[in-house]
Amino acid sequence: MKAFLFLVLLTTTWAMNVHDIITISLENNPTIEQQEQLLESTRYHTKSMIGAFYPTLDISYRMSKTKKGAANRNNINGNEANLALHYNLFRGFMDYHHHKNAQAIENAQQYRLKASKQELILAIKTLYIALLQQKEQLLVFEDSIKLLEQQLKETSEFFRVGLVAKNNVLQVEVSLANAKQNYLAAKSNLAYLQKDLEHYAGRTLLLEELEEVQFQIPEMNLQQLELMMLENRSELKALQHEHSAQYHTLQSTNGAYLPSVELVGEKSFATTADRDDQVVGRLEVSLNLFEGFSSHYATQRERAKLLALGAQIAELKQQLHLQLFQAHESYTLALSAYKVAQDALIQAEENYRIVSNRYKERVETTSHLIDAELLLTQARTNVLINRYGIAQAIAQIVRIVEVGE
């Protein structure tokens, strides 16, 4: 499956292709940078959770002055330093679940970053294909203008010698004006698409240097694609890891019902006359008996969040299945329509040739020639729409299934 779900681009030493633009954009996109920094933050958070499995060492210092007697005689001045070592032996598995929670959050952020990259890649591919299509559409409108200008020249000559009425000339002039308007609109849209793509590329692009897109025509099995989608989709993976993180959060709240065991060692250094240096070691065991049901309600809260994430995962799966079905249908339709459009183009070209020759012999009317030109322009447009529609559908499927190119 991975072997055919890709766009094959021609390569030269000077041209820029879609992969060049993608590479530049991934390096400079602010959204990607934001997601990378968030990932870095989660990594440090995971590392900080490991600290709970290590002992802690604290030092404290206290300076005191004690007054004895009415005349403030026999005052005692002292300094005391304490060195305390704490080691957590058991805390209701809270530390374990906190660490697992941090790991799951980190994994979820990794998939969010991947999803952001995939969205950017799809946006660039979509724009790149649309730009190539609009570039070719402009050529179609240019040819349409040339044909209508030739028709206007012939019709004007027929009118000059009295073979046709004035309205025939006006018909061609109106059709030519419409063709020019279509050309100008297409040219404006092409300029906008070019400027938008230059924003991603970070440089000025020449239309001549953009490589044409070529594609293979694979047989796509929808069921197989669905299995790959469920296995690979980053947004789904991110939610699943968030679900795992929430599970460990729930388990950590249950730790409030379990005892806590801590080993403590203290060494004190005193300079007062009434105290000596001492070393104390103790084992502290504590168990929460009642805290106003706060742990109970905290557990219910985290369980509700866990169930909500489960529902969100189910909803996302439904949306992804629908997206894949729609993209697969678009691919199938564009593929079939492309073959029909190619045949229709051959017929439209032959029809225009016949009508044009018959018009020169005054067998066909001006309206018939204009109609033939419109059919030819539409046939050429349909070929472009469906050819690039196949490329767009493949790009969509690659994104939805998230299979490597």
Side-chain angles (χ1 to χ4, degrees):
M1 184 66 66
K2 291 185 178 180
F4 57 70
L5 279 180
F6 64 93
L7 302 178
V8 181
L9 299 176
L10 304 176
T11 58
T12 64
T13 57
W14 55 269
M16 174 171 280
N17 60 40
V18 66
H19 298 294
D20 297 328
I21 300 175
I22 288 172
T23 300
I24 295 172
S25 299
L26 290 177
E27 293 174 353
N28 303 311
N29 186 268
T31 300
I32 301 301
E33 173 66 20
Q34 178 190 20
Q35 294 296 325
E36 288 175 342
Q37 293 302 322
L38 289 175
L39 176 59
E40 190 73 6
S41 174
T42 60
R43 285 172 177 166
Y44 285 119
H45 178 62
T46 302
K47 292 179 180 179
S48 70
M49 291 296 101
I50 301 177
F53 299 99
Y54 290 89
T56 61
L57 185 63
D58 301 317
I59 187 169
S60 61
Y61 175 78
R62 183 173 62 186
M63 184 171 56
S64 62
K65 183 176 182 180
T66 304
K67 295 181 179 181
K68 292 185 177 182
N72 292 333
R73 290 177 295 183
N74 301 319
N75 291 345
I76 300 175
N77 297 322
N79 298 299
E80 182 180 348
N82 287 288
L83 186 64
L85 178 68
H86 297 260
Y87 186 65
N88 166 41
L89 298 179
F90 183 72
R91 199 175 296 167
F93 299 107
M94 288 185 180
D95 297 329
Y96 169 80
H97 289 296
H98 286 161
H99 182 243
K100 286 297 184 181
N101 171 272
Q103 286 181 325
I105 291 175
E106 179 182 340
N107 291 332
Q109 182 56 36
Q110 286 179 330
Y111 282 108
R112 290 194 198 98
L113 172 60
K114 185 178 180 181
S116 296
K117 290 182 178 180
Q118 291 297 320
E119 283 297 309
L120 178 61
I121 291 172
L122 176 61
I124 294 173
K125 285 181 180 179
T126 302
L127 182 59
Y128 189 92
I129 294 170
L131 178 62
L132 294 180
Q133 178 180 342
Q134 196 63 30
K135 175 185 172 184
E136 295 299 317
Q137 185 67 65
L138 199 64
L139 297 177
V140 170
F141 287 147
E142 286 179 351
D143 290 340
S144 175
I145 290 174
K146 291 178 182 178
L147 291 177
L148 288 170
E149 286 177 342
Q150 180 62 31
Q151 290 181 28
L152 180 60
K153 180 179 179 181
E154 293 174 356
T155 305
S156 297
E157 182 62 24
F158 289 154
F159 171 71
R160 189 183 66 81
V161 297
L163 294 179
V164 298
K166 177 67 174 178
N167 68 298
N168 290 270
V169 178
L170 295 177
Q171 280 183 315
V172 180
E173 288 179 342
V174 171
S175 296
L176 179 59
N178 290 334
K180 289 181 177 179
Q181 290 179 3
N182 292 334
Y183 172 81
L184 292 175
K187 187 176 181 181
S188 175
N189 191 32
L190 179 64
Y192 173 78
L193 292 173
Q194 181 178 355
K195 183 63 66 176
D196 199 3
L197 191 60
E198 287 175 349
H199 169 72
Y200 287 108
R203 53 158 286 189
T204 301
L205 298 175
L206 299 177
L207 295 178
E208 305 80 40
E209 74 178 8
L210 297 181
E211 298 175 0
E212 185 54 69
V213 62
Q214 303 291 334
F215 48 84
Q216 294 182 348
I217 305 298
E219 290 292 335
M220 297 188 185
N221 183 282
L222 184 58
Q223 287 72 29
Q224 189 175 0
L225 290 173
E226 287 176 343
L227 292 176
M228 295 172 63
M229 175 188 69
L230 295 177
E231 181 181 355
N232 300 329
R233 183 72 182 210
S234 293
E235 288 89 343
L236 184 58
K237 291 287 188 180
L239 270 181
Q240 288 171 343
H241 281 288
E242 287 182 12
H243 186 271
S244 177
Q246 184 58 33
Y247 167 79
H248 288 290
T249 298
L250 173 61
Q251 294 303 313
S252 69
T253 59
N254 290 330
Y257 300 105
L258 299 176
S260 176
V261 182
E262 186 175 41
L263 182 62
V264 180
E266 291 183 349
K267 168 67 174 176
S268 63
F269 306 89
T271 61
T272 59
D274 60 343
R275 293 196 60 181
D276 296 325
D277 295 350
Q278 57 181 331
V279 177
V280 177
R282 62 180 182 271
L283 184 67
E284 296 182 352
V285 180
S286 62
L287 176 63
N288 168 43
L289 298 179
F290 182 73
E291 55 179 348
F293 300 105
S294 61
S295 296
H296 170 74
Y297 291 123
T299 301
Q300 297 304 315
R301 178 193 64 204
E302 302 304 332
R303 181 176 287 108
K305 290 181 179 180
L306 185 67
L307 294 174
L309 282 171
Q312 190 175 353
I313 291 174
E315 181 183 7
L316 178 59
K317 287 181 178 180
Q318 292 179 352
Q319 292 176 352
L320 291 177
H321 281 295
L322 182 60
Q323 290 176 13
L324 180 59
F325 177 80
Q326 183 178 12
H328 185 266
E329 286 296 307
S330 297
Y331 171 77
T332 304
L333 175 62
L335 191 60
S336 301
Y338 181 56
K339 296 176 181 178
V340 174
Q342 287 179 312
D343 295 337
L345 177 58
I346 296 174
Q347 296 168 351
E349 289 174 339
E350 179 63 14
N351 177 66
Y352 183 80
R353 185 188 66 80
I354 293 173
V355 173
S356 178
N357 290 334
R358 289 169 60 86
Y359 179 73
K360 292 176 182 179
E361 296 173 359
R362 301 303 305 129
V363 179
E364 294 287 355
T365 65
T366 303
S367 297
H368 288 160
L369 184 58
I370 292 175
D371 291 341
E373 188 280 325
L374 287 174
L375 288 175
L376 177 59
T377 299
Q378 187 60 53
R380 290 173 174 173
T381 299
N382 288 340
V383 169
L384 294 179
I385 290 174
N386 292 292
R387 180 181 186 279
Y388 289 103
I390 295 173
Q392 293 283 19
I394 292 175
Q396 286 284 346
I397 293 174
V398 169
R399 169 65 187 104
I400 295 171
V401 178
E402 210 164 300
V403 63
E405 294 192 19

